[in-house]
Amino acid sequence: IQKLCDRVASSTLLDDRRDAVRALKSLSKKYRLEVGIQAMEHLIRVLQTDRSDSEIIGYALDTLYNVISNDLEEEEQEENSAKQVDDLGSQFTEIFIKQPENVTLLLTLVEEFDFHVRWPGVKLLTSLLKQQGPQVQQIILVSPMGVSRLMDLLADSREVIRNDGVLLLQQLTKSNAAIQKIVAFENAFERLLDIITEEGNSDGGIVVEDCLLLLQNLLKNNNSNQNFFKEGSYIQRMKPWFEVGDDNCGWSAQKVTNLHLMLQLVRVLVSPTNPPGATSSCQKAMFHCGLLQQLCTILMATGVPADILTETINTVSEVIRGCQINQDYFASVNAPSNPPRPAIVVLLMSMVNERQPFVLRCAVLYCFQCFLYKNQKGQGEIVSTLLPSTIDATGNSVSAGQLLCGGLFSTDSLSNWCAAVALAHALQENATLKEQLLRVQLATSIGNPPVSLLQQCTNILSQGSKVQTRVGLLMLLCTWLSNCSIAVTHFLHNPANVPFLTGQIAENLGEEEQLVQGLCALLLGISIYYNDNSLENYRKEKLKQLIEKRIGRENFIEKLGFISKHELYSRAAQKPQPSFSSPEHMMFDHEFTKLVKELEGVISKAIYKSSEEDKKEEEVKKTLEQHDNIVTHYKKVIREQDQELEELKQRVNTLTSQNEQLQATVTQQVSQIQQHKDQYNLLKVQLGKDMQHHNSHGDTFQMNGIQTEEVSKLKEELEEWKNKHELLQGQLKEKESVIEKLNSSQLEMGTTEQSSQTSKFGGLEHNNELQKELEMLKSQIQLQSAEISKLQMENQKLQVMSAAADPVSGESGAAAATSSELEARLEQEIKELKSEVKALSEEKESLKQHLDSSSSTVAILQDEKSKLQREVAESKKEQDDLLVLLADQDQKISALKIKLKDLGVPVEDEDDTESGDQGDEDEDGDEEEQD
């Protein structure tokens, strides 16, 4: 080993160093101590300097793992004791982490993707955490991104590394709330739940178990993470874990383990030790997502292994504890039997059955306690099954109350204890039910009169049964009598009870009986403290004197103190769930320990109080009671007034709504009445007109349904047509004048320039077309005017005939024939008039179209005119420019002629022919060049 260490330290070749490290790795398992002492320093240096070579790093990490890890071979475990092994691994870990840089270096190596580096790195880090957890956790916590780097292992595609990463995180998150929070906020819940789903939920292998253990680490006693888990809607994702089939036979051991851990994880979220608000919100979430329903299905399923059934009962207990909605649901669950029975009854049958496993009976008791915890409705339902009015006379079905009574008086002491505690929970903090339970009568044997439940309990106590039975009954009686004066009076009414209690307390018995003596002292103390002095022989003062004479105050207080000093009392006071190592240790109930703590002090004070103090206290109590009565009275009055107010508010709301409806109907009716009035007025006016018409024109002036109103309408239409005709003629005249103007302007332009005439020839043709159209329009208008004159003539004839109709209407047979002919002619003429009007309207439409087309042609002509005017202006400008040029030329020519004359050159006269002008100009140009 020394030689190999020297080679690792001094060799320059990487291959030599790699071979040496490989050799050390092979020796490290057998010679763990030697390799650890001599090679650790060299191996750490290799990790620092040879990071480029993954092979040598892998060997070094494996060697360090073998040295530090306690996972030895079986033969080695036989040779060495466990303590030596633990010490060795712990010492080497201490040496390694003495330099925190070594752990930081290990974290960077774990980031490498190479399998031969990452996997041994993860294993080594896990081993370090196992040996020196808190110290390594602290180094990782202060290392930058230390926890985040390790979280990446869960995303590794290689299952070996991912699974070992889960184991590493298990060790990392143990008992460190800060790391737990970081891991949770690095999306651990999502990743772990995904892995569990991929692996097949409860049917998965050991990987699911590891994931569940890690989830427990993250959630247990960590309120922040529990809240994050609930708000992230991860509770909903737990529901598929508990889906079981009809056939539940042959579950594998791994499935049982997985399901056990899953149930424990649910319990972590709803544990009674959590803050009440957090527990309550998780309970509600579990109900709303159907998780509670799924658990109840497992509870009632057949073939489920006993330990899973027990844990499911415990889980359901904590999911419903103190949550009204969940308790109500649980009360409604029925077992799949024929006929169906409530789940509570089925569970209680298991509890009072001595053949059932002890842990299962404890779980059922816990479930019953949780069902009744802060559930007055549930307590009332249980007690009501015992009352005479509600007991099923047919005996077909067994009620919860009957089962509890059966258990209370059975021969099995464990059943006695469980039934007594269950019944005590039904009375917890409920004075009304304590009073009602006094009504319960039991038939002991045939021929004997029934006895009360209270009396039967005291009878069994006095018979000297087992300690467990007596402890259970005394706890029930103490709970029943506390804070209930009527129950105390009933108890004291039996003359045998007080002597029995004083006798039990006064005796000097063994250790087992001391507990019974303590409870008897507590019961007697309750009988004094809650005594209302209604029984003369058992007034407070007399009972105190009895204690003084028979027991002694100091002795009584000492015996009372036996309860709280008992070891089993301290154990029961720790948590609500009854957890006992064996049935013999089943003595105290958690809720009863609270009662003892509350009453122990006040009873001690009450025993030492004098009669005067008692009187004063009684007066104070009376005043307080009076005050309470007044307060309750006023509360009742206020409650009634609130109810009345609510009722009045509802009535007001209904009345207002009715009022609104009535107002709507009233407005509707008013509008309808107004419409009827309008219609009535209209009819009235029409009737008046008809009467006038009748008076002026006789009985009837109607020619085949056509009245004079239609004639007047026709006249108005004729007038309108005349007006329209005149308007159209006026428009036509305007258009003609515009066209004439355009023609004249075009003719003028045509004379000025011959070139423009040729270009605008098409426009003139268009103008000719327009003139033709105008002539056609004129002819149409003439025709229309002839038709209108014809219509006027017909109208005059019509008027003459209507005027002639009055004298004719009163005559006899011959006149009637002429009037019928007249009517026929009128009808014919009116039809013709209508057809004429229709024809005129059609002609009007066509005229409109013609006008539109002519107006568009006029617009086109105007555009052309403006173009021509622009061209004329341009041509005039060009002519002016030419004239200016000609004038300049003339001046130049005359000047040149003068020069030529001066030089003696013969010059032609100005009246030479125009044909020679060009030649002269050329000569002038030549002369200019010569000059």
Side-chain angles (χ1 to χ4, degrees):
I1 290 166
Q2 185 60 51
K3 283 179 182 178
L4 290 168
C5 289
D6 291 342
R7 278 176 67 189
V8 171
S10 59
S11 291
T12 51
L13 289 173
L14 179 62
D15 291 343
D16 290 347
R17 291 202 300 278
R18 190 190 300 124
D19 292 341
V21 174
R22 190 193 290 116
L24 283 170
K25 178 194 166 186
S26 59
L27 290 167
S28 60
K29 282 189 179 177
K30 195 169 184 181
Y31 303 102
R32 182 181 171 194
L33 180 65
E34 292 81 358
V35 172
I37 291 166
Q38 296 179 47
M40 186 175 277
E41 194 180 334
H42 301 299
L43 291 168
I44 290 167
R45 194 173 295 113
V46 165
L47 294 179
Q48 290 168 344
T49 55
D50 291 328
R51 283 184 60 184
S52 57
D53 186 58
S54 61
E55 202 174 344
I56 194 170
I57 295 289
Y59 293 143
L61 289 169
D62 280 330
T63 311
L64 285 168
Y65 172 72
N66 291 339
V67 167
I68 287 168
S69 172
N70 286 331
D71 303 334
L72 297 171
E73 301 293 329
E74 288 179 9
E75 54 199 60
E76 288 180 285
Q77 283 182 346
E78 286 168 12
E79 289 170 13
N80 301 318
S81 70
K83 191 177 179 185
Q84 286 176 333
V85 167
D86 286 348
D87 287 348
L88 200 59
S90 169
Q91 285 166 10
F92 281 133
T93 304
E94 208 169 322
I95 295 164
F96 186 84
I97 65 171
K98 207 167 191 180
Q99 299 294 326
E101 305 88 57
N102 293 343
V103 179
T104 314
L105 175 66
L106 202 51
L107 288 171
T108 49
L109 289 171
V110 166
E111 276 190 295
E112 294 287 334
F113 186 73
D114 194 313
F115 182 82
H116 297 290
V117 176
R118 197 172 209 183
W119 189 40
V122 169
K123 289 197 293 180
L124 177 56
L125 198 51
T126 309
S127 190
L128 291 172
L129 283 160
K130 277 181 185 173
Q131 304 297 339
Q132 297 283 345
Q135 294 91 323
V136 180
Q137 282 174 341
Q138 203 53 41
I139 296 166
I140 292 170
L141 196 58
V142 297
S143 170
M145 298 291 287
V147 180
S148 302
R149 289 185 212 174
L150 298 177
M151 280 302 297
D152 293 339
L153 296 171
L154 293 182
D156 201 304
S157 55
R158 295 160 295 194
E159 284 192 15
V160 180
I161 292 176
R162 184 198 70 185
N163 298 347
D164 280 350
V166 173
L167 295 172
L168 168 58
L169 289 168
Q170 266 184 40
Q171 297 299 327
L172 181 66
T173 54
K174 268 185 184 174
S175 311
N176 193 311
I179 292 176
Q180 286 167 4
K181 284 178 187 176
I182 295 167
V183 170
F185 283 99
E186 287 279 349
N187 208 19
F189 294 138
E190 185 76 39
R191 292 182 188 182
L192 291 169
L193 291 170
D194 286 344
I195 293 168
I196 291 168
T197 309
E198 285 167 22
E199 295 290 325
N201 294 330
S202 60
D203 293 316
I206 197 161
V207 180
V208 172
E209 183 185 337
D210 293 334
C211 288
L212 290 166
L213 287 167
L214 176 52
L215 282 169
Q216 273 194 27
N217 280 0
L218 294 173
L219 292 170
K220 203 167 190 176
N221 302 322
N222 193 320
N223 300 328
S224 168
N225 281 4
Q226 286 173 7
N227 194 38
F228 180 62
F229 191 84
K230 178 185 70 70
E231 287 180 356
S233 300
Y234 296 118
I235 289 174
Q236 286 83 326
R237 291 187 62 180
M238 294 167 82
K239 188 194 168 188
W241 295 355
F242 304 105
E243 287 173 359
V244 293
D246 297 327
D247 181 24
N248 297 310
C249 301
W251 283 13
S252 65
Q254 188 61 56
K255 183 180 173 77
V256 171
T257 308
N258 289 346
L259 209 51
H260 208 273
L261 288 167
M262 286 167 174
L263 290 164
Q264 283 180 353
L265 196 64
V266 175
R267 290 184 68 185
V268 163
L269 294 168
V270 291
S271 171
T273 56
N274 293 345
T279 301
S280 175
S281 58
C282 286
Q283 286 172 331
K284 285 172 185 169
M286 285 174 186
F287 173 75
H288 291 303
C289 77
L291 182 59
L292 174 60
Q293 293 84 325
Q294 205 70 50
L295 291 171
C296 289
T297 309
I298 296 174
L299 204 65
M300 295 292 115
T302 51
V304 177
D307 54 343
I308 291 294
L309 185 62
T310 306
E311 191 60 27
T312 305
I313 293 168
N314 287 325
T315 308
V316 169
S317 309
E318 291 183 354
V319 173
I320 65 172
R321 188 177 189 269
C323 180
Q324 190 65 54
I325 187 171
N326 290 7
Q327 288 167 337
D328 290 346
Y329 170 75
F330 186 68
S332 69
V333 175
N334 284 325
S337 59
N338 194 15
R341 284 177 176 162
I344 295 166
V345 172
V346 175
L347 290 171
L348 286 175
M349 287 167 82
S350 303
M351 187 184 79
V352 296
N353 184 352
E354 55 188 296
R355 286 174 296 181
Q356 291 291 346
F358 172 64
V359 283
L360 180 67
R361 295 172 78 180
C362 289
V364 173
L365 175 63
Y366 183 45
C367 186
F368 192 70
Q369 289 173 352
C370 290
F371 169 66
L372 297 175
Y373 182 70
K374 291 184 179 177
N375 181 11
Q376 291 197 345
K377 184 184 171 187
Q379 287 176 325
E381 285 169 0
I382 297 296
V383 171
S384 69
T385 58
L386 282 164
L387 299 176
S389 57
T390 54
I391 290 171
D392 186 6
T394 57
N396 289 337
S397 62
V398 182
S399 68
Q402 287 168 323
L403 285 168
L404 289 175
C405 279
L408 201 60
F409 308 121
S410 76
T411 52
D412 176 33
S413 61
L414 192 61
S415 294
N416 303 154
W417 191 91
C418 290
V421 169
L423 204 52
H425 274 264
L427 303 173
Q428 202 81 42
E429 296 176 3
N430 200 325
T432 316
L433 294 180
K434 287 176 184 178
E435 291 175 20
Q436 283 188 1
L437 202 64
L438 296 168
R439 292 165 49 205
V440 176
Q441 299 290 314
L442 301 171
T444 49
S445 57
I446 299 165
N448 290 339
V451 293
S452 69
L453 177 62
L454 187 67
Q455 184 60 51
Q456 186 64 17
C457 290
T458 53
N459 290 346
I460 294 169
L461 268 177
S462 59
Q463 285 166 11
S465 50
K466 287 184 182 177
V467 173
Q468 196 172 37
T469 303
R470 283 183 287 158
V471 167
L473 287 168
L474 283 165
M475 285 197 297
L476 170 60
L477 289 169
C478 288
T479 309
W480 194 347
L481 269 59
S482 66
N483 209 16
C484 184
S485 302
I486 300 167
V488 170
T489 308
H490 273 71
F491 178 74
L492 294 174
H493 195 71
N494 185 354
N497 288 344
V498 174
F500 167 73
L501 291 176
T502 51
Q504 285 283 317
I505 299 161
E507 285 181 28
N508 288 318
L509 302 166
E511 282 188 18
E512 282 189 359
E513 291 296 327
Q514 280 183 352
L515 193 55
V516 176
Q517 285 184 313
L519 289 166
C520 286
L522 180 67
L523 185 58
L524 189 56
I526 288 168
S527 302
I528 294 167
Y529 186 70
Y530 290 106
N531 194 339
D532 60 356
N533 295 330
S534 56
L535 293 171
E536 188 58 39
N537 294 334
Y538 296 106
R539 293 173 68 83
K540 279 186 180 181
E541 195 55 43
K542 287 191 177 179
L543 288 170
K544 282 184 195 176
Q545 286 169 7
L546 189 68
I547 288 170
E548 184 66 40
K549 285 176 186 175
R550 295 273 181 90
I551 306 162
R553 287 180 183 176
E554 288 76 15
N555 194 19
F556 178 84
I557 299 299
E558 187 189 346
K559 296 286 171 78
L560 184 64
F562 282 165
I563 304 171
S564 53
K565 286 173 187 169
H566 204 282
E567 184 194 346
L568 295 174
Y569 172 90
S570 309
R571 203 176 292 171
Q574 287 171 5
K575 57 178 182 176
Q577 186 185 355
S579 55
F580 306 102
S581 53
S582 67
E584 294 77 36
H585 291 152
M586 206 170 193
M587 288 292 173
F588 284 110
D589 171 54
H590 178 75
E591 289 298 323
F592 181 72
T593 60
K594 290 181 183 176
L595 184 70
V596 171
K597 207 178 285 181
E598 184 188 326
L599 292 176
E600 194 176 7
V602 293
I603 288 169
S604 303
K605 283 179 188 175
I607 296 298
Y608 282 105
K609 275 180 188 171
S610 62
S611 56
E612 289 176 3
E613 284 176 337
D614 276 341
K615 280 176 186 176
K616 281 181 184 175
E617 196 176 318
E618 287 218 356
E619 284 173 11
V620 170
K621 270 189 180 177
K622 278 179 184 176
T623 348
L624 284 170
E625 278 176 14
Q626 285 173 359
H627 178 70
D628 286 343
N629 289 336
I630 293 162
V631 169
T632 18
H633 171 68
Y634 279 120
K635 277 182 180 175
K636 194 179 176 183
V637 169
I638 289 163
R639 204 176 291 115
E640 285 171 1
Q641 286 177 348
D642 282 343
Q643 284 176 354
E644 283 176 14
L645 268 171
E646 283 298 317
E647 285 171 9
L648 287 167
K649 277 180 184 175
Q650 286 176 359
R651 280 185 65 189
V652 165
N653 289 333
T654 50
L655 286 168
T656 40
S657 62
Q658 283 176 3
N659 185 28
E660 284 171 3
Q661 286 175 359
L662 288 167
Q663 280 181 346
T665 50
V666 163
T667 48
Q668 198 177 350
Q669 285 174 355
V670 165
S671 65
Q672 283 177 356
I673 288 162
Q674 191 59 44
Q675 283 176 3
H676 290 317
K677 277 183 180 177
D678 294 342
Q679 285 175 1
Y680 171 73
N681 291 331
L682 199 74
L683 288 165
K684 201 173 176 184
V685 169
Q686 282 180 354
L687 191 68
K689 281 182 180 177
D690 290 342
M691 289 295 290
Q692 283 176 4
H693 186 270
H694 180 71
N695 293 335
S696 58
H697 296 286
D699 294 332
T700 52
F701 175 68
Q702 187 170 2
M703 297 169 290
N704 200 13
I706 305 297
Q707 295 181 347
T708 52
E709 287 176 9
E710 288 193 25
V711 176
S712 60
K713 279 181 186 175
L714 287 167
K715 282 181 182 178
E716 286 171 6
E717 283 181 12
L718 279 169
E719 287 296 324
E720 281 176 16
W721 283 113
K722 278 183 184 178
N723 293 334
K724 285 176 185 176
H725 181 250
E726 286 171 4
L727 276 168
L728 287 167
Q729 278 186 335
Q731 285 175 357
L732 274 170
K733 282 176 183 176
E734 284 175 9
K735 299 290 179 190
E736 279 176 356
S737 62
V738 169
I739 289 162
E740 281 174 5
K741 283 177 185 176
L742 284 167
N743 284 336
S744 61
S745 61
Q746 277 182 347
L747 285 168
E748 285 172 7
M749 282 188 282
T751 53
T752 54
E753 201 170 341
Q754 196 171 355
S755 61
S756 64
Q757 281 178 359
T758 54
S759 65
K760 298 295 182 256
F761 189 69
L764 288 168
E765 284 177 357
H766 186 62
N767 194 15
N768 291 333
E769 284 174 9
L770 278 172
Q771 281 178 346
K772 284 176 185 176
E773 281 180 11
L774 273 170
E775 285 170 3
M776 281 170 69
L777 284 169
K778 280 177 186 177
S779 62
Q780 282 177 0
I781 286 162
Q782 284 171 2
L783 284 167
Q784 280 182 0
S785 60
E787 283 173 1
I788 285 163
S789 60
K790 187 180 176 185
L791 280 168
Q792 283 173 347
M793 291 287 288
E794 285 173 355
N795 189 22
Q796 284 172 3
K797 284 178 185 178
L798 192 66
Q799 283 175 353
V800 169
M801 280 187 265
S802 64
D806 280 339
V808 170
S809 62
E811 292 178 3
S812 59
T818 53
S819 68
S820 62
E821 284 176 16
L822 192 62
E823 281 175 8
R825 280 182 64 193
L826 269 170
E827 191 176 353
Q828 186 66 32
E829 285 175 359
I830 284 162
K831 279 181 184 175
E832 287 174 3
L833 278 168
K834 280 183 179 177
S835 60
E836 289 292 337
V837 166
K838 192 178 178 184
L840 278 169
S841 62
E842 287 172 0
E843 283 178 5
K844 177 193 167 186
E845 286 297 321
S846 63
L847 278 169
K848 271 188 180 177
Q849 288 173 1
H850 282 301
L851 275 170
D852 291 339
S853 61
S854 63
S855 60
S856 63
T857 51
V858 165
I860 292 161
L861 285 169
Q862 280 181 343
D863 289 341
E864 288 176 355
K865 178 191 169 184
S866 59
K867 282 180 187 175
L868 285 170
Q869 281 176 346
R870 281 198 297 275
E871 286 176 2
V872 166
E874 283 172 6
S875 62
K876 278 183 180 178
K877 192 177 178 184
E878 286 173 3
Q879 282 177 357
D880 291 341
D881 292 341
L882 284 167
L883 286 170
V884 170
L885 284 169
L886 284 169
D888 290 342
Q889 289 288 339
D890 285 340
Q891 283 178 3
K892 281 181 183 178
I893 288 164
S894 58
L896 286 167
K897 278 182 180 179
I898 292 162
K899 279 183 181 180
L900 286 168
K901 281 179 182 178
D902 290 342
L903 290 167
V905 179
V907 181
E908 293 179 3
D909 293 328
E910 286 181 1
D911 54 341
D912 289 338
T913 56
E914 286 179 5
S915 58
D917 285 344
Q918 188 66 35
D920 291 341
E921 284 175 11
D922 293 340
E923 285 174 8
D924 291 341
D926 294 337
E927 285 173 3
E928 282 175 348
E929 286 172 9
Q930 287 173 5
D931 291 339

